Amino acid sequence: TETSNIVKAITNLTKIVHQVADNTAQAATEANEADKQSQQGIEVVNNTVNQIQELATSVEKAVEVV
Protein backbone atom coordinates (compact mmCIF):
# COMPACT_ATOMS: atom_id res chain seq x y z
CA THR A 1 0.00 0.00 0.00
CA GLU A 2 2.90 2.36 0.64
CA THR A 3 4.12 1.77 -2.90
CA SER A 4 0.61 2.37 -4.17
CA ASN A 5 0.47 5.69 -2.30
CA ILE A 6 3.83 6.72 -3.76
CA VAL A 7 2.64 5.87 -7.27
CA LYS A 8 -0.55 7.89 -6.73
CA ALA A 9 1.45 10.82 -5.40
CA ILE A 10 3.84 10.72 -8.37
CA THR A 11 0.90 10.47 -10.77
CA ASN A 12 -0.76 13.49 -9.16
CA LEU A 13 2.51 15.42 -9.21
CA THR A 14 2.95 14.61 -12.89
CA LYS A 15 -0.56 15.89 -13.64
CA ILE A 16 0.17 19.09 -11.75
CA VAL A 17 3.43 19.60 -13.63
CA HIS A 18 1.58 19.19 -16.93
CA GLN A 19 -1.07 21.68 -15.82
CA VAL A 20 1.61 24.19 -14.88
CA ALA A 21 3.29 23.67 -18.25
CA ASP A 22 -0.02 24.18 -20.06
CA ASN A 23 -0.77 27.31 -18.04
CA THR A 24 2.70 28.66 -18.73
CA ALA A 25 2.28 28.08 -22.45
CA GLN A 26 -1.10 29.84 -22.38
CA ALA A 27 0.41 32.77 -20.47
CA ALA A 28 3.17 33.04 -23.07
CA THR A 29 0.59 33.10 -25.86
CA GLU A 30 -1.39 35.80 -24.07
CA ALA A 31 1.77 37.84 -23.46
CA ASN A 32 2.69 37.64 -27.14
CA GLU A 33 -0.78 38.81 -28.12
CA ALA A 34 -0.59 41.70 -25.65
CA ASP A 35 2.80 42.68 -27.09
CA LYS A 36 1.37 42.59 -30.62
CA GLN A 37 -1.54 44.79 -29.61
CA SER A 38 0.69 47.26 -27.79
CA GLN A 39 2.89 47.55 -30.90
CA GLN A 40 -0.23 48.30 -32.95
CA GLY A 41 -1.21 50.90 -30.36
CA ILE A 42 2.18 52.56 -30.64
CA GLU A 43 1.77 52.70 -34.40
CA VAL A 44 -1.65 54.36 -34.04
CA VAL A 45 -0.24 56.93 -31.61
CA ASN A 46 2.69 57.70 -33.91
CA ASN A 47 0.35 58.15 -36.88
CA THR A 48 -1.84 60.46 -34.82
CA VAL A 49 1.16 62.55 -33.79
CA ASN A 50 2.25 62.84 -37.42
CA GLN A 51 -1.23 63.93 -38.49
CA ILE A 52 -1.37 66.54 -35.73
CA GLN A 53 2.03 67.86 -36.80
CA GLU A 54 0.83 68.08 -40.40
CA LEU A 55 -2.31 69.89 -39.27
CA ALA A 56 -0.23 72.33 -37.21
CA THR A 57 1.94 73.06 -40.24
CA SER A 58 -1.16 73.67 -42.38
CA VAL A 59 -2.60 76.02 -39.78
CA GLU A 60 0.69 77.95 -39.58
CA LYS A 61 0.71 78.36 -43.38
CA ALA A 62 -2.92 79.50 -43.34
CA VAL A 63 -2.10 82.09 -40.67
CA GLU A 64 0.78 83.39 -42.78
CA VAL A 65 -1.56 83.82 -45.74
CA VAL A 66 -4.10 85.72 -43.66
Side-chain angles (χ1 to χ4, degrees):
T1 62
E2 188 173 329
T3 302
S4 176
N5 288 339
I6 291 172
V7 169
K8 287 178 185 177
I10 290 172
T11 301
N12 287 336
L13 184 58
T14 302
K15 288 179 184 178
I16 291 169
V17 168
H18 284 290
Q19 288 174 346
V20 169
D22 290 344
N23 291 342
T24 302
Q26 182 65 31
T29 299
E30 298 289 335
N32 286 334
E33 181 61 27
D35 181 58
K36 179 181 173 184
Q37 290 181 5
S38 69
Q39 293 300 323
Q40 291 173 343
I42 289 170
E43 187 175 332
V44 168
V45 169
N46 287 337
N47 288 338
T48 302
V49 168
N50 289 336
Q51 290 175 352
I52 290 171
Q53 289 172 336
E54 290 174 10
L55 178 61
T57 300
S58 295
V59 169
E60 287 175 358
K61 287 180 182 177
V63 167
E64 289 174 5
V65 170
V66 173

